[in-house]
Amino acid sequence: MVLHDEVEQLLCGAVCQWAGVPLTEAAVRQRTREFSAMIDGAGSVGPRHWKGLRLRSRTEDWTRSIIDGARIGHVSVPAGSPAEIIAFHRNMDGELLDTKVAAARVDGSPFN
């Protein structure tokens, strides 16, 4: 057992649960590996960087599927959770955020 790997997995599961993102135990392991590789590749060049970019794209696809699923009722997200708030946020015109925009709203900036 490697403590670093176990802590990464524990934190990934905790953050996803807090955010209201439903994950199985196997999905927590997969997402942990992907998030870790994505972070590792962010400050590098060459193949590690390219892998990180591919994983970011795949992660945003996954996030869009959660948002779309929540909006049509196929994915259950807890009321009041960040996932629910982002999925159902409406802009100044009363329209739901574009799914691509909503999926990338991970920087903590306010909705304007």
Side-chain angles (χ1 to χ4, degrees), residues 89-104:
H89 178 77
R90 294 188 178 273
N91 65 21
M92 299 290 266
D93 296 325
E95 299 170 353
L96 290 171
L97 290 175
D98 176 80
T99 305
K100 188 172 183 174
V101 171

Side-chain angles (χ1 to χ4, degrees), residues 9-90:
Q9 190 168 308
L10 177 70
L11 289 173
C12 180
V15 168
C16 288
Q17 182 178 5
W18 168 82
V21 176
L23 288 180
T24 63
E25 190 174 323
V28 170
R29 286 190 299 273
Q30 174 190 351
R31 295 292 163 200
T32 300
R33 285 190 306 272
E34 290 179 359
F35 294 156
S36 179
M38 198 171 15
I39 292 166
D40 181 57
S44 63
V45 294
R48 278 181 37 209
H49 180 71
W50 302 328
K51 180 180 179 182
L53 291 176
R54 279 193 317 275
L55 289 171
R56 179 179 177 148
S57 178
R58 184 168 36 181
T59 297
E60 287 180 359
D61 290 344
W62 168 69
T63 307
R64 282 192 294 275
S65 74
I66 291 170
I67 291 167
D68 287 337
R71 288 178 175 175
I72 63 174
H74 291 162
V75 175
S76 177
V77 293
S81 68
E84 193 257 354
I85 291 167
I86 292 169
F88 294 100
H89 178 77
R90 294 188 178 273

